[in-house]
Amino acid sequence: MSGSKYQRSQLALAITSSLAISATHAATITVDTLDDPGTVDNCSLRSAITAVNTQAIINACYAGDGLNDEIGFEPGLTGTINLSDGPLALEADVIITGPGAENLQIDAGGNSGIFEVYDEVVAQASDLTLTGGYASYGGAFYLQAGSRLNLYDMVIEGNQATGNGGAIEVFGGELYVLDSTFSNNSAGNNGGAIAVTRGEALVSGSYFTGNSAELGGAVQVNFFAEEGTGPVGDLPAALEAKLVVESSTLTTNMATYGGAAGAGYAYGGGPVETSSNSKRTGGS
């Protein structure tokens, strides 16, 4: 994870690549316990992810085969998965389908982040609640360069980052969010819910409330220029951070600058653009 810092910038709104994942599923691995990390007799979420990452049998989980592997949950399995062994590392393409955000939550208990999406991985998650994530960058999800993440019908609440992206930081990856709720997430610097430090994000049909940061209480986007590439305030030659928010509601989010959305990058100082702290985007 890079600790690089960046110059301030103007807001960029664009999305340039498709984030779709094939609907054809190869191996389906069924989680049958709420335990973490689980035992040899069960298939925990952590073991299922490891089975996908390694394409090997892990405890009671079938091996993934690397062809759009899907992780599901045993019918009737509801409640909370309390993470006790650190964040869940997605190192291979995977689809994780929950039983409904109201039925199953993953809680990191303030001890770690929840998911890390590794370089070149294409991942999808739906119908889950993620809470209690705590990290320097991306309390619930941290996207590495080259990764892609689709989120559908998610509830992401009560996560924290000391730096950027209380819920999600996009650092060189691509993010697509549809019909999801972000509430009461916080970041010490940028993007109380979502920070696009470097890369692209498209958010549609989603709801943001009670999120907070220094810059961009709900969402933040940065131009991205490595420190030392030019005088302070200069814009980089190429636009590398892009964000679209459409058909969504952003209300009662809080920030020193830009209660709903912020453009630029905060180091503990001020950004260049602000917005109101209650905003409804077009199309809904």
Side-chain angles (χ1 to χ4, degrees):
M1 186 178 299
S2 172
S4 299
K5 298 299 180 184
Y6 310 97
Q7 296 179 353
R8 300 173 187 174
S9 65
Q10 298 176 344
L11 181 63
L13 297 179
I15 195 79
T16 61
S17 63
S18 170
L19 303 180
I21 295 179
S22 170
T24 302
H25 310 322
T28 298
I29 302 171
T30 301
V31 174
D32 60 15
T33 180
L34 299 176
D35 293 342
D36 180 65
T39 68
V40 295
D41 298 320
N42 296 106
C43 181
S44 68
L45 178 59
R46 189 177 299 275
S47 294
I49 290 171
T50 303
V52 170
N53 291 342
T54 61
Q55 297 180 32
I57 296 172
I58 304 295
N59 296 334
C61 299
Y62 293 115
D65 61 13
L67 299 173
N68 294 325
D69 295 320
E70 181 170 4
I71 295 173
F73 295 82
E74 187 175 67
L77 184 69
T78 61
T80 300
I81 297 173
N82 293 301
L83 295 187
S84 61
D85 207 20
L88 301 163
L90 305 182
E91 301 174 5
D93 295 356
V94 65
I95 297 170
I96 302 174
T97 304
E102 71 280 9
N103 295 320
L104 185 66
Q105 71 172 359
I106 302 171
D107 188 349
N111 298 313
S112 71
I114 298 177
F115 287 101
E116 295 178 352
V117 187
Y118 276 49
D119 186 19
E120 303 302 326
V121 167
V122 179
Q124 176 175 304
S126 64
D127 297 290
L128 293 166
T129 292
L130 306 182
T131 190
Y134 180 87
S136 297
Y137 303 97
F141 284 99
Y142 176 76
L143 278 65
Q144 292 189 1
S147 63
R148 292 162 52 188
L149 175 65
N150 291 352
L151 298 177
Y152 303 98
D153 299 306
M154 298 284 287
V155 173
I156 304 180
E157 61 184 11
N159 301 285
Q160 182 179 357
T162 57
N164 306 326
I168 302 171
E169 185 184 28
V170 180
F171 194 87
E174 299 173 352
L175 172 68
Y176 175 66
V177 180
L178 179 65
D179 295 339
S180 295
T181 297
F182 295 81
S183 65
N184 301 315
N185 303 287
S186 65
N189 292 331
N190 300 284
I194 298 174
V196 186
T197 304
R198 183 181 186 184
E200 304 173 357
L202 170 60
V203 180
S204 182
S206 294
Y207 185 76
F208 295 79
T209 185
N211 304 289
S212 62
E214 181 179 0
L215 170 60
V219 296
Q220 172 263 353
V221 64
N222 176 53
F223 256 123
F224 183 80
E226 290 190 8
E227 192 173 27
T229 58
V232 173
D234 276 7
L235 298 180
L239 180 66
E240 294 193 29
K242 306 169 188 179
L243 170 66
V244 170
V245 180
E246 63 181 18
S247 304
S248 297
T249 299
L250 296 78
T251 186
T252 62
N253 301 286
M254 297 171 289
T256 305
Y257 305 94
Y265 197 93
Y267 301 79
V272 295
E273 290 193 15
T274 64
S275 69
S276 68
N277 71 350
S278 183
K279 183 179 181 71
R280 187 174 183 87
T281 62
S284 67

